[in-house]
Amino acid sequence: MEKLGWKIKENEFLKSDVEQNGSRYLIGNGYMGYRGTLEEFGKEQLVALNMAGLFDRNGDKWRESVNAPNPFFVKAFANDTELNVLTANIDSHEQVLDISYGLHSRNTVFCVNDTKVSIKAERFLSMANENLAVIKYSVSADKDTEIKINTYLDSDVWSINGDHFEVTEQTKQDDISVLKLMTLENKIPLSLYEYINQDVENPIKIKAGETFAFVKVSGVYWGEGILNSLDTFKQVNKDYDALLKEHKSKWNEIWYNSDIEVEGDNEAQFALRYSIYHLNSIVPRNTYKCGIPARGLSGQVYKGASFWDTEMFMMPFFSFTDASLCKNLVKYRINTLAGAMRKAKEFDFDGAFYAWESQETGDDACSLFNVTDIFTKRPMRTHFKDSQIHISADVVYGLWQYCTVSGDYSLLEEGGLDMMYQCLFFFYDYAVYKPLKNRYELHSVVGPDEYHERVNNNAFTNKMVKYAVDALVSALDYAKNNMPQLYEEFLLKNDISWVDEFAQKLYIPQPNENEVIEQFDGYFKLEDIGLPEIRSRELIPHEYWGGGNGLATTTRIIKQADVVMMLNIFRSEYSKSVKKANWEFYEPYTEHGSSLSACAYGIVATEIGMADWAYKYFMKTATVDLTGDTKQYVGDLYIGGTHPAANGGSWNTAVFGFGGVSYTNEVLDITPNLPESWKSMKFKLLWKDVRLDIAINGDDVKITADKPTDNIKVTVNKKEYKF
Ligand code: IFM
């Protein structure tokens, strides 16, 4: 793979790269994502038009997101030879993704006997009209050739856990092909329309040197969106250039607000932009009815569900670049509160216990047996669903961070305050009061490090819950002073007498005499081995290290940043020396078996003078979807796809780590820490509705604002910045 400015490019076709390139060359517009496969491919090559927010369950298999019929399917034949990279002779091949506006293209020259036949195709999912999938496809040859084109909405699609729809209607209305489907479980309708601007039904004779080209515009609609959709689709101006123009102009707007320019380091610049490209391609833009799946829109891995990844890794990017998108993500959680309350009841608790794997209703898609034991082939009991309780605190964190960064507290009145309360009420109910210690503890939990299940007092979890209860106290205070009606109504419904005591008496593990914070009670007593040793004990590649018999379970080996994740989130609350002591202590034990891990180590490293490590971990997180250097399997479970949390982590490391951006409720500070190779860094941040343009040149920081700055406070190196 080559990187050229804003493009990635393959210069040959390798069968072994098909799966990885499907993720690398992904395009998306928040409504749907399309894997970077070639037009002639089918489900065996994992072609997928993955729909955001549309889920289905086939029988008793895992409920997952739906891959809709493939609108980009095209098979071409030259003198009856199929032009397929998997079977035909290839003279040359290029596949390109232009991340400046999500345009995928390919250019393949085939040798068909003594004729060279070339296929060029470019496609995009419109950012201007989220229902549209547009492709321009052309064939040319160096000798007179007969071409046949086979293109349709291909409903024989890749699906991990069984088929998800039945075809209910397939018709042609004037020049539009209509395909109607219905999901199996909830009978949700999908309508796809296809318009082709040329006659491709009959063989086409082209002369040597001539090109035959056609444009296909498809419309994809589901759920309530299908209402009048055929009429809407008919009215779309289907001119390719016009569609491309409006698509590009939307992307230009997006980049204007979210780009980061790095001078002096092309590798880092590209990786960072590539991460931003992915975040912008997968975020729902016009709805709060769905979240961002852990594998983005690259397929059905992790059931298309949203995890804590959204709040803790991706939301900072959205809150600082396009607050309305962040608001939608928070509203998605508010909208799924009922599901979280059902889950709490299921485990005999009050309040809201958010889904570890959240789909459209907020009921948990996570199974109690989420991994198959690779030795016995039996389902293995895991405790992600019932014990990873920090999720409810992460959700509160997301809401409160949104309020802090945007200065917009209106969500409190739109169910946000109730959501906060219910999450905290769950923790209050879950917590164990230890009378002899006069404190509340949180037992039998799973922290970010999933290799150690059902532990007591995981430092990250306890600290997140403390943040959440403090946020509730602040939110109540805000409501009391600014939203009296909401406050009064809230008090009529809810008992808050326990809140202050819970906030004061919740136990937060502290640094020991070596300044190290124990990850959970008893962690220090576990077997002290390093990564080479644990790897040498593996019996089978990909065996799962967690669970009852997992290799890591009895050792200090951890899957991902846990205490260091906590230090990253609460950077201003811990001293440099505590951060350093913990970073150095936990780093050798950390597998980075999750793509969520590297950024936390990267950000904390920027703060403790470990510049080389910071850069190394930044590049690890920023290049994860370029190198494909991640786990593809856990046991026999396929977990490939894109890694949006790492993409968010890359932005976080750049802005919070190297840019040195930190904030309290009142003040935004910039104390830069650029890597040696970065001459300058420029980016925009939306702070309390003022868009700041920040240019860092070494230690020099220049900031301009798009509106008066009287109501905001900004400091540079902790000193007031004069605009
Ligand atoms: O949320 C993560 C978790 O922390 C580690 N396993 C994968 C999940 C989805 O990204």
Side-chain angles (χ1 to χ4, degrees), residues 511 515 517 563-564 566-568 570-586 603-605 607-608 610:
E515 299 196 277
I517 299 165
V563 170
V564 172
M566 177 185 82
L567 299 176
N568 154 42
F570 301 102
R571 287 190 293 284
S572 61
E573 294 182 35
Y574 293 91
S575 69
K576 250 189 184 177
S577 69
V578 166
K579 281 185 237 176
K580 192 161 191 306
N582 283 277
W583 196 101
E584 287 175 342
F585 179 83
Y586 284 106
I603 297 175
V604 175
E607 304 219 315
I608 54 177
M610 298 174 82

Side-chain angles (χ1 to χ4, degrees), residues 5 76 195 339 468 502 528:
Y195 164 84
F502 186 52
D528 184 3

Side-chain angles (χ1 to χ4, degrees), residues 294-295 302 305 307-309 313 356 384 388 390 447-450 559-560 593-596 639 643 645:
R295 287 289 182 263
Y302 288 132
F307 292 62
W308 70 310
D309 305 31
F313 296 84
W356 182 241
F384 310 143
Q388 217 154 155
H390 65 81
D449 159 32
E450 293 172 332
K559 181 178 176 187
Q560 63 202 86
S594 158
S595 63
L596 280 57
I639 55 162
H643 299 81

Side-chain angles (χ1 to χ4, degrees), residues 275-413:
S275 304
I276 295 172
Y277 163 77
H278 276 285
L279 291 166
N280 281 325
S281 301
I282 58 172
V283 62
R285 293 187 171 269
N286 301 310
T287 179
Y288 61 86
K289 297 279 175 70
C290 63
I292 304 181
R295 287 289 182 263
L297 299 176
S298 65
Q300 299 155 304
V301 164
Y302 288 132
K303 307 168 194 132
S306 303
F307 292 62
W308 70 310
D309 305 31
T310 307
E311 280 74 15
M312 306 309 292
F313 296 84
M314 301 177 225
M315 265 195 195
F317 168 76
F318 295 113
S319 66
F320 276 111
T321 59
D322 188 336
S324 66
L325 300 178
C326 186
K327 192 169 188 173
N328 275 345
L329 294 170
V330 180
K331 280 172 88 169
Y332 162 71
R333 293 299 195 175
I334 296 175
N335 194 46
T336 50
L337 177 62
M341 293 180 73
R342 283 192 290 274
K343 177 174 168 186
K345 283 270 167 301
E346 185 188 333
F347 290 99
D348 204 20
F349 293 108
D350 252 304
F353 184 4
Y354 269 85
W356 182 241
E357 300 183 4
S358 182
Q359 299 178 335
E360 78 281 42
T361 61
D363 292 286
D364 207 332
C366 188
S367 152
L368 290 177
F369 303 88
N370 231 30
V371 177
T372 303
D373 181 57
I374 203 161
F375 300 102
T376 61
K377 308 276 181 250
R378 290 190 183 126
M380 190 191 280
R381 178 68 162 98
T382 47
H383 292 273
F384 310 143
K385 177 177 179 178
D386 50 329
S387 304
Q388 217 154 155
I389 60 166
H390 65 81
I391 181 66
S392 283
D394 306 333
V395 166
V396 173
Y397 179 86
L399 165 66
W400 199 239
Q401 286 292 307
Y402 167 76
C403 295
T404 305
V405 174
S406 66
D408 166 20
Y409 290 79
S410 62
L411 282 179
L412 294 180
E413 292 173 307

Side-chain angles (χ1 to χ4, degrees), residues 417-487:
L417 192 61
D418 287 335
M419 179 184 93
M420 288 174 105
Y421 179 82
Q422 293 303 338
C423 287
L424 267 309
F425 200 47
F426 160 71
F427 286 121
Y428 179 57
D429 197 20
Y430 189 94
V432 178
Y433 178 67
K434 302 285 282 182
L436 300 187
K437 292 178 176 151
N438 188 23
R439 69 188 192 194
Y440 289 94
E441 299 190 353
L442 297 168
H443 291 179
S444 195
V445 307
V446 178
D449 159 32
E450 293 172 332
Y451 287 162
H452 295 94
E453 298 188 317
R454 292 193 289 171
V455 299
N456 292 351
N457 294 317
N458 166 252
F460 172 89
T461 304
N462 290 27
K463 183 78 183 157
M464 283 302 300
V465 176
K466 172 77 171 117
Y467 172 93
V469 69
D470 289 345
L472 174 65
V473 171
S474 305
L476 286 169
D477 202 42
Y478 184 91
K480 192 174 174 183
N481 295 322
N482 302 284
M483 300 165 165
Q485 200 186 334
L486 169 74
Y487 186 70

